[in-house]
Each structure stands twice: as C-alpha cells, then as structure tokens.
C-alpha cells in the first residue's frame, strides 16, 4: 500500500500520522508533547521511527512546522517556542534518517492548504486563510498555487500597519494588525481601558482572556463590546486591503477570536464593505469560519503531499 | 515575417506598434488622439486597420487599456476617461474585425510586465511595480506569473487603508494610500495647509502641482518638505505591508511623484524599514525607479504577447 507520513510540529505537541492515498482517515496517528525528556528534535525523530510504516511504501513525508520556514532549502529558520529549532536543516536530518522524500512547510500555509483541499475553501482558486488567535497568521492561494514569496516570507497577514503609531506589536513595531485584532491585542486594549478606570463587569478579574471578554460582551458589558468591536473593525479594514491586493473568491477565518459571536462577525463584515473602492469585490465573494479543527495543519500537509506526488503544478520547493 | 500588433489605449492617445519576434524596435508605430472626430472605438479600429501588417504573419494582437479590464472575457468593464468604453467586448470586436488572436489587459499590469521583461525588473521572479502619479496603480508578478485575481480586480495597490479616517480618496473611501501619497494627495494636503495659514514660498501660487512642491522642497521650503515627506512616509508604510504579504525581491516605482528627489526616496526607504517585522525582508531586496518611460505599457504588452505565444506558463486569459 502507498502511504504518506504527515508530521505536525506544534509548540505543545508533535503529531505523526500515516495516511493512505485516498480519504482523510489515518492508518495510524501518534502524538507526543513537544518538550519533555530529551531534545525536541530527538523526540520528533523517535516518534516518527515508532510510527514508521515499514510494511507499506512511503511516497513522502510532509512536515508542518511553526515559525520561519524555508521550504526551498528545507530549513526551520526559527521557531520561537521550541528550543534548538534555529537554522535547523530539518529536511536533511529526516531524509538522512528515514530515506524518504521530505518537504518542510510553514504551519499557517499548511492550514490554508487544509481548508482549501478539505475544508471551507474546496473548489476555490483564489483563497485567503487567516487564523486569529494569540497572534495572527495566514496563507494565500493564488491561481491554485500557494504564495510563498522570494524567500518564503510572504503572507505575514498580521504585520500590516492598520493604525499609525498604534500599540506595540509582538514583533516590536507599532500599529500592526496583530497588535490590535489578535486575542492578545483585544485583551491588552481591555486591560488598558480598565487601568484608565473604564468600568466593566470583568474589571475585578485578573487579565481576562478574549474568550471571557467575548462572553461578557454577549451579556451586554459595554467595555467588552467596545473591545471586541475594535478588534473586528481593524480586521475588517485589513481584509478590505487584502481584497484590493489579491481579489480572492473566499476568505476563511479560523482561531479562537473568530468564535466571539455575531458582534465580531457583523462588525468585521460591515467594516470590510465600508473600506472597499468598489463593491465589485464582493460579487461572488464569501467570508466564512474555518471548517476544520485542530487537524487542519495535518490535513493541509496531507493535501500538499498528494498534490506534490501527482503534479508539478504547485511549486513549493 | 512573424509579427505582433501591440496596442496601447490611453486617455490622451492611442498607439499601435508592429513588432518583430525579437528586439524592442517596432517595424511601424502610429498614434492618434483618443478623442476627436468619431467615437474612440472607431478611431482605434481605423488606426489598427491603417497600421495592419498585411505583408507579414500576425501572431497576435495584445492591447493595454486603462480602467477595469476583464482579460478572461476580453471586456473593458469601465474606463473612466474614455466615452463609450463601458462593458465593451473589445476582444470580440477586434477578433471579428481583424481575424487574429487578441488579448486585452490592464495598463498597470502591462507596465509591470514591461519593467519585468525589459526594464528594472529583468531576471526577478517576484516583483511589485507601482506608478505614483495623479493616482496610484500597480502590478505584481509572483513566481513568474502576473497576479490578476478571481475577477481581475487584484493589485489595486492605491486602495489599501493607511490612515483610518484619513482624507477622502478618489474612490469615495477615506484614508486610502492614493488619497495621501499620490500627486493629487500631496497637492491636496499642501493646499489644505496653505488654507490653514501655514506659510510657504508657493502660497501665492494657485494650486501648485506636486512637481512645483517638490522643487520648492529642494529650495528648503518647510511646508513643501513636509508635504513630500508625508506622501513618502505613508508610501513607505504601504510598501512594508506589501513586503509582508508578497515578499518580492524588487519593488519598482514609476510615475511623476517618484521624480521628487532624495527627500522622497530617503523618507520612503526609512519608513519602509521602520515598519517591517523582520529586516530579513530586505536581504537581497531592491527598490528602484522604473527604467522605461512612456513606452512601458507597449513593451509590457509586447512581452506578454511573446510569452503567451511561446509558453502556457503565464496564465492570463
């Protein structure tokens, strides 16, 4: 039987799945905490070795990994939360160890692939995927190809400037989308307003999360409503920018912040429409929540593995 | 001999060139004012008929045209400054008339093609071209392919929001890049400041142009310096956005505003660097003035014509 080895490296856990030529059910799926006894790289290799399908023919191994990835050279340039994963030639390490073709890819790009191949974006040719969570990441499909850019640094959707001299972003710059519309951005704004004395039912809670703020907003808490609305407003402006630049037929939003209810989605859509130079961008256009859950990166890497095997169409490495 | 018919439709003039298989010298090049006796479409057809190379074999006719173009369907959707060019099925009209393969394309995209094939962008695979003139337009090459988007509305580089609640843009929205950094945006800001009583050596001139403002800035006029710097600052922020999204190896800037001297270019580059989440985007990256002049659209359409003939690589229509 022909199979693919699919690896998803996260800050919390590493997963390895063995998938057949068709369908989404893995023949085997194992996971392990990313950090524990031994180095993360050794833990990864051990898990792949334990899961390795010796009884089958392995077509390829495709890895989804966090941080800055260079798929052309097969290198993990940096992964902020995983010790030892700096300028790591992971493709070479895995090829040497397991003697199968290996491809290393950014996890946000793989999530975009997952939604495109098997989720909310099926059948589309021009698609934007964003995850609005602690940070903001994303991937873009143009004419059925993943956009990676000259040095694999493209589609950093969270780092466009939406508010000059706005809040400090995790990257150090000011006013980037991520500094305002991510979960962190919304929670920071809320905490600032509480510190300024703005009343809220949550003001006695220590550092409420965006989820708690969204719940309080549903109950009518004015500051919580304002905080969610502010994040969604700037996200709408940013998505209008993306429509002007990429003219996609669908935008798919995943991540915890997108579960903040109608206040979030309605504000977002209203501001998206309000900033377009032409309503033509909305003809035949859809904006939707992500359809896949936690497995989106694994499934995207699976989709890519099959596509790389069957065509040369998607240039990735 | 095998030749291409290249047509450039502008608001002021229509040009038709007959080009051989190699080189940039036309065998014949004719022009006519876009408006005059007869309808623009009739004038266009007459000029092509007069220029038609009956003694040669015509491989194709490629047209660069202003406004909203649908290259897939061969339609000029709208061209604000040319009467009668609304939902005009120009490809069909020209095919019926001249019986050769015809392709209709947006002029800013053709300018990007021109700089890529024959100008400052030769040899690059990921390129952004922008023209900063009365308005702001542009084109993007990704992995050796022109980005057009789902409904040919992509790369409206001038319509991203750079200043929430900023000046009113020509499109009706507020704070778009074009409303601040175009020649119109710079001149409008200057006029507003003069009306507020800010002194300038140009304050007695009726509506000075961006060119006059740039000249006064070179002479040390404080308000003129401020006006040029403001336009260049927001342009730098926008180009940082584009680097995060597209990760090009080169950005090429054309149009009159880019002739505003070192104050413009230095301010632009400084603000570009200042807003990046990582200086990695600048490794191997170049930002340059356009190399071609008035003929950039014609030459881009020529480049496209040859590419469409020789490969199926560039998907355009």
């Amino acid at each position: 039987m022909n199979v693919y080895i699919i690896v998803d490296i996260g800050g919390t856990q590493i997963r390895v799945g063995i998938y057949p030529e068709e369908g989404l059910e893995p023949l085997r799926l194992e996971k392990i905490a990313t950090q524990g006894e031994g180095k993360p790289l050794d833990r990864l290799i051990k898990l792949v070795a334990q899961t390795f399908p010796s009884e089958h023919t392995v077509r390829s191994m495709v890895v989804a990994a966090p941080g800055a990835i260079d798929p052309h050279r097969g290198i993990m340039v940096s992964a902020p939360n995983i010790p030892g994963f700096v300028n790591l030639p992971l493709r070479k390490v895995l090829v040497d160890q397991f003697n199968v073709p290996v491809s290393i890819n950014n996890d946000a790009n793989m999530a975009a692939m997952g939604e495109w191949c098997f989720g909310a974006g099926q059948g589309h040719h021009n698609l934007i995927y964003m995850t609005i969570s602690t940070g903001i990441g994303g991937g873009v499909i143009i004419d059925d190809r993943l956009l990676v850019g000259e040095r694999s640094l493209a589609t950093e959707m969270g780092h466009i400037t939406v508010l000059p001299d706005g809040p400090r972003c995790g990257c150090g710059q000011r006013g980037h989308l991520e500094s305002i519309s991510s979960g962190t951005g919304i929670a920071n704004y809320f905490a600032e307003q509480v510190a300024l004395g703005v009343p809220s039912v949550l003001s006695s809670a220590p550092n409420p999360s965006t989820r708690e703020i969204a719940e309080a907003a549903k109950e009518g808490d004015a500051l919580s409503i304002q905080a969610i609305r502010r994040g969604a407003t700037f996200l709408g402006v940013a998505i209008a920018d993306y429509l002007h630049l990429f003219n996609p037929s669908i935008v798919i939003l995943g991540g915890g912040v997108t579960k903040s209810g109608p206040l979030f989605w309605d504000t977002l859509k209203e501001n998206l429409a309000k900033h377009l130079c032409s309503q033509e961008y909305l003809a035949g256009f859809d904006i939707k929540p992500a359809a896949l859950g936690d497995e989106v990166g694994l499934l995207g890497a699976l989709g890519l593995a099959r596509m790389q095997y069957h065509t040369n169409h998607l240039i990735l490495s």
Side-chain angles (χ1 to χ4, degrees), chain A:
Chain A
M1 190 172 184
N2 295 312
V3 301
Y4 300 95
I5 303 177
I6 306 299
V7 180
D8 186 57
I9 303 175
T12 311
Q13 60 181 16
I14 299 170
R15 287 179 292 178
V16 177
I18 310 300
Y19 288 85
E21 286 180 79
E22 303 272 340
L24 302 186
E25 283 308 311
L27 302 171
R28 208 174 305 160
L29 183 62
E30 301 291 340
K31 60 187 172 183
I32 189 179
T34 306
Q35 301 194 39
E37 201 176 317
K39 291 178 190 167
L41 178 59
D42 296 336
R43 296 171 66 80
L44 164 65
I45 290 171
K46 196 175 156 196
L47 186 66
V48 175
Q50 283 171 2
T51 321
F52 199 92
S54 310
E55 71 279 27
H56 298 305
T57 304
V58 176
R59 284 192 163 165
S60 67
M61 185 188 316
V62 174
V63 180
I69 308 295
D70 182 339
H72 300 287
R73 296 188 299 144
I75 290 174
M76 288 186 70
V77 180
S78 67
N81 301 319
I82 308 180
F85 281 27
V86 176
N87 287 322
L88 176 71
L90 186 59
R91 181 165 66 195
K92 188 177 184 317
V93 170
L94 293 173
V95 167
D96 288 352
Q97 195 79 32
F98 298 106
N99 197 27
V100 297
V102 174
S103 150
I104 313 288
N105 308 277
N106 171 269
D107 56 0
N109 283 344
M110 290 306 94
M113 287 288 298
E115 289 291 338
W116 180 42
C117 294
F118 307 116
Q122 290 178 68
H124 288 266
H125 307 290
N126 295 284
L127 168 156
I128 294 176
Y129 167 84
M130 294 176 75
T131 170
I132 322 292
S133 179
T134 316
I136 292 181
V140 174
I141 308 287
I142 294 172
D143 270 343
D144 293 332
R145 293 154 62 116
L146 192 60
L147 169 56
V148 292
E150 182 68 21
R151 302 181 65 241
S152 313
L153 300 170
T155 65
E156 280 291 351
M157 322 301 283
H159 295 284
I160 69 164
T161 302
V162 294
L163 184 62
D165 303 316
R168 181 88 57 194
C169 185
C171 73
Q173 309 299 4
R174 287 198 173 277
H176 283 179
L177 177 65
E178 180 168 297
S179 74
I180 298 178
S181 299
S182 68
T184 313
I186 292 171
N188 284 348
Y189 173 79
F190 184 91
E192 271 170 36
Q193 296 298 307
V194 167
L196 291 170
V198 180
S200 163
V201 295
L202 293 176
S203 57
S204 59
N207 301 319
S209 67
T210 301
R211 189 175 170 175
E212 290 166 319
I213 296 167
E215 286 306 315
K218 284 175 196 160
E219 303 295 317
D221 181 58
L223 177 57
S224 298
I225 290 171
Q226 189 184 321
I228 296 293
R229 194 173 270 162
R230 182 170 181 270
T233 296
F234 281 96
L235 186 59
V237 174
I239 294 176
D241 292 347
Y242 304 150
L243 263 57
H244 288 128
L245 297 175
F246 296 110
N247 182 210
S249 55
I250 189 166
V251 170
I252 299 168
L253 302 181
V257 175
T258 65
K259 300 192 170 73
S260 302
L263 172 67
F264 172 85
W265 283 91
D266 293 348
T267 307
L268 162 60
K269 289 179 188 174
E270 181 193 323
N271 280 280
L272 163 56
K274 215 170 96 178
H275 288 81
L276 292 172
C277 70
S278 160
Q279 297 300 305
E280 283 292 313
Y281 286 93
L282 298 180
F285 170 79
D286 218 343
I287 180 164
K288 275 189 180 177
L292 306 178
D294 192 33
E295 74 285 15
V296 65
L298 272 177
L299 293 182
L302 174 64
L304 177 62
R306 290 176 178 160
M307 220 175 269
Q308 285 180 327
Y309 183 81
H310 287 290
T311 76
N312 279 323
H313 186 51
L314 191 94
I315 294 174
L316 253 190
S317 58

